[in-house]
Amino acid sequence: MTAQEPIQPAEGCASSTPGGGSRREFLGTAVAAVATALTGCGKLSHEEFLQHNFRELSKDEVRDVIARLEREYKEKYGREVKVTNTAPLPGVIFGYALDLSRCIGCRRCVHACVKENNQSRSPEVQWIRVLELEKEEGVNLQHADQYYDPAEVPREGHFYMPVQCQQCKKPPCVKVCPVGATWREKDGITVVDYNWCIGCRYCMAACPYGARHFNWGEPNLPPDQVNPDTHYLGNRPRPKGVVEKCTFCIQRTRKGLYPACVEICPTGSRKFGNLLDKTSEIRYVLENKRVFKLKEELNTQPNFFYFYGV
Amino acid sequence: MKELLVRRLSLPARTAGLLVTLGLAALADPPAPPPAPLPTLGAVAQEGIQVPKPPFSEGIFPCSSCHDGKSMKVNPQRRELTGMHGDIVLNHGPESRWCLDCHDPANRDRLRLASGERIGFDTSYQLCGQCHGDKFRDWRVGVHGKRTGSWNGAKQYLLCVNCHNPHSPRFQALKPMPPPTRPEQIQARKGGAR
Ligand code: SF4
Ligand code: SF4
């Protein structure tokens, strides 16, 4: 869960609605004015205000939306940002397995994720939280600490459990979204349409893993730190007031690459692949190791597994 | 060296493939100077597993440049090394293990399996696998150890010795990267929450 900043009363937003000539122009300004009224501040272009849910857009509309976003990002960050729309690969459902007997809690994954996925840097939004747990207690979340900071890890008597979106087969966050701004894709990745999300945060309340994070302020992403390889449903820069989460690096994995957290992990604790491929390493883990799901009793049916490699 | 390896490994798979080709070409034709600054991958070891070069200390290989069997005779005596290799701390079953259990006495550029078979340093996992059979099996299928590259295509493995110093194999402790900000430490910021 993203930490909460103190909320101050809204300041007045100067709305600029110059009087206009033609009926068409008038409609345009009227829409912009409504958009301004609805969103608090007039940052939303009227194209964006009129944009439909991503899943309902035609091919041409998607192309226009992406072109508009790329233009807006260029203006904002002063550099080319590529927004892709790569579809799920046929015959693929992604699965993830994390070796609890290997993870040493070094948090390399946490920060590689922030860099890859264009999260706000200050305060930093982190999609992965590494919990430090006591060996004596086992996986007991009452004894979990996410703020540990010793000189060296692993600490004697402790083990580490990174938690991120578990890409549930029955995602409670999707069920509660009142506007259909979040859904599960065919390859098992739950995504958010940031342009459709109204920021109600129901999904954050519903997620049992604390995997969803809210942009309380304008995300603070320095232009020189922007990762320009983005996906519409993934790591493209987000606006203020929307919810975001781990997408298994949708922009990488749909191209055949491993997620950034797998690439960086120095202990090789992180395993990723196609659950439908009998020869994949992920299937080997599921068939040969002791595996468990976090909070299995909630029947969220994660495609994210924890295992003991030893 | 570790840094370098990590960076090398994050190369896109296609480039890595090319580098392997280059590496092999260099092996086949010794007089040709290898493209020096390019990170080269080691041999494609058996089972088609691509592994990086073993992490030798700078300037130590080939071992036969000192251990040539003539100017320096083989001394099979277990002893504390004082002249050279004083930096090596043997913390890998020191009671029962000794240099020449793994390093071939007759040819120091090779390793030696229990069977007497000699192998190169680039397939040292065979040596490790003699005792750590369960880890070796998991490594081969990509479950023990780190894999990078492509989940549905070419993958890059690390050798056992890229993560575990063979003389002192315990995985080194690391300094953790910064923890998340505690809620009470978050400062109100211009353009932040309103
Ligand atoms: S990078 Fe790997 S070892 Fe480090 S905390 Fe993440 S999962 Fe654990
Ligand atoms: S915050 Fe956005 S994604 Fe979450 S429930 Fe509300 S509208 Fe849906």
Side-chain angles (χ1 to χ4, degrees):
Chain A
M1 243 164 289
T2 308
Q4 197 162 331
E5 286 193 10
I7 304 170
Q8 288 141 23
E11 287 160 28
C13 299
S15 62
S16 55
T17 42
S22 72
R23 180 187 142 84
R24 194 187 164 87
E25 259 175 57
F26 168 76
L27 275 177
T29 8
V31 163
V34 174
T36 308
L38 284 177
T39 59
C41 291
K43 283 252 177 72
L44 207 60
S45 64
H46 72 272
E47 291 104 315
E48 183 173 338
F49 177 69
L50 289 177
Q51 181 187 323
H52 272 268
N53 186 308
F54 193 70
R55 282 183 295 178
E56 293 167 5
L57 300 182
S58 71
K59 272 208 173 108
D60 286 351
E61 285 167 328
V62 167
R63 204 195 48 226
D64 292 350
V65 164
I66 284 180
R68 188 188 80 233
L69 284 171
E70 290 183 341
R71 205 173 55 239
E72 286 173 7
Y73 291 142
K74 173 121 205 234
E75 256 163 51
K76 186 163 180 195
Y77 299 105
R79 53 187 293 196
E80 303 291 340
V81 173
K82 180 109 193 73
V83 182
T84 57
N85 171 35
T86 319
L89 295 165
V92 172
I93 293 180
F94 288 123
Y96 207 118
L98 202 148
D99 188 346
L100 287 186
S101 62
R102 302 256 168 267
C103 173
I104 57 168
C106 68
R107 293 203 190 92
R108 302 289 186 274
C109 51
V110 175
H111 293 270
C113 169
V114 171
K115 268 198 196 155
E116 170 67 33
N117 290 297
N118 289 323
Q119 281 93 318
S120 171
R121 299 302 207 272
S122 138
E124 195 167 84
V125 173
Q126 300 179 348
W127 292 350
I128 305 175
R129 278 177 314 152
V130 186
L131 306 180
E132 187 180 60
L133 295 152
E134 291 163 27
K135 281 192 177 156
E136 290 220 333
E137 289 289 334
V139 181
N140 179 348
L141 298 181
Q142 310 250 295
H143 289 254
D145 175 19
Q146 57 166 319
Y147 299 111
Y148 67 90
D149 198 17
E152 279 190 341
V153 283
R155 271 206 307 160
E156 196 55 44
H158 292 78
F159 70 101
Y160 298 84
M161 176 153 150
V163 181
Q164 60 209 77
C165 174
Q166 310 277 306
Q167 312 293 359
C168 311
K169 288 192 270 301
K170 291 188 179 290
C173 54
V174 168
K175 211 170 178 179
V176 298
C177 180
V179 294
T182 183
W183 62 90
R184 185 167 182 265
E185 292 265 288
K186 283 215 168 67
D187 52 5
I189 304 177
T190 294
V191 295
V192 181
D193 179 355
Y194 313 116
N195 284 16
W196 197 251
C197 169
I198 57 172
C200 66
R201 300 167 53 227
Y202 282 18
C203 54
M204 286 171 69
C207 173
Y209 305 103
R212 290 185 162 246
H213 305 266
F214 187 62
N215 284 288
W216 288 96
E218 185 62 33
N220 176 356
L221 176 61
D224 59 327
Q225 292 178 34
V226 174
N227 172 8
D229 297 322
T230 75
H231 191 287
Y232 181 93
L233 299 169
N235 62 338
R236 69 180 170 99
R238 277 79 65 187
K240 171 173 143 182
V242 301
V243 159
E244 59 184 54
K245 61 180 278 296
C246 160
T247 63
F248 280 172
C249 281
I250 196 167
Q251 68 281 359
R252 295 175 58 89
T253 46
R254 283 195 181 168
K255 284 193 297 196
L257 296 171
Y258 279 117
C261 47
V262 173
E263 283 275 328
I264 196 92
C265 177
T267 60
S269 304
R270 293 171 165 271
K271 304 294 160 199
F272 178 83
N274 181 7
L275 289 171
L276 302 182
D277 173 3
K278 285 197 185 81
T279 63
S280 66
E281 52 207 78
I282 186 85
R283 282 288 290 270
Y284 182 90
V285 170
L286 297 186
E287 284 157 25
N288 295 285
K289 297 289 176 187
R290 286 183 293 148
V291 177
F292 79 92
K293 299 175 201 160
L294 185 56
K295 303 194 184 180
E296 184 175 17
E297 67 280 12
L298 299 178
N299 199 28
T300 49
Q301 302 182 16
N303 274 347
F304 194 107
F305 307 88
Y306 294 92
F307 72 105
Y308 298 98
V310 282
Chain B
M1 184 66 196
K2 239 193 187 142
E3 281 301 313
L4 193 110
L5 268 174
V6 171
R7 231 177 307 132
R8 172 196 302 172
L9 288 168
S10 61
L11 281 174
R14 230 175 308 135
T15 329
L18 177 71
L19 290 174
V20 170
T21 325
L22 284 177
L24 287 179
L27 278 183
D29 190 10
L38 269 179
T40 45
L41 294 170
V44 177
Q46 22 143 251
E47 300 142 10
I49 295 175
Q50 277 180 22
V51 292
K53 279 201 165 162
F56 290 122
S57 321
E58 199 67 44
I60 201 111
F61 197 81
C63 311
S64 57
S65 52
C66 296
H67 295 276
D68 54 4
K70 288 176 221 125
S71 55
M72 198 188 278
K73 288 272 175 296
V74 177
N75 178 353
Q77 200 61 48
R78 278 180 78 103
R79 64 195 186 281
E80 196 167 324
L81 300 180
T82 45
M84 272 293 276
H85 306 309
D87 52 323
I88 295 177
V89 182
L90 192 60
N91 200 357
H92 189 175
E95 301 305 314
S96 51
R97 203 146 295 112
W98 169 244
C99 311
L100 301 182
D101 292 336
C102 302
H103 295 275
D104 187 62
N107 180 357
R108 228 45 84 77
D109 295 336
R110 311 282 281 172
L111 295 167
R112 189 169 156 274
L113 301 183
S115 64
E117 189 192 334
R118 290 179 190 149
I119 58 164
F121 281 88
D122 50 4
T123 53
S124 56
Y125 52 80
Q126 287 181 279
L127 184 69
C128 311
Q130 296 182 130
C131 296
H132 308 281
D134 54 337
K135 300 290 181 301
F136 181 44
R137 191 185 56 220
D138 280 356
W139 177 79
R140 253 193 333 216
V141 295
V143 169
H144 180 101
K146 176 170 173 166
R147 260 184 179 189
T148 50
S150 171
W151 59 266
N152 59 357
K155 290 172 184 58
Q156 171 78 58
Y157 280 61
L158 289 174
L159 285 167
C160 315
V161 292
N162 289 120
C163 298
H164 304 280
N165 178 337
H167 304 124
S168 187
R170 203 186 167 75
F171 196 89
Q172 293 293 303
L174 292 175
K175 177 162 178 39
M177 287 184 77
T181 319
R182 287 176 191 271
E184 60 272 22
Q185 285 167 345
I186 293 177
Q187 307 284 313
R189 178 170 53 78
K190 199 163 164 270
R194 291 172 189 240

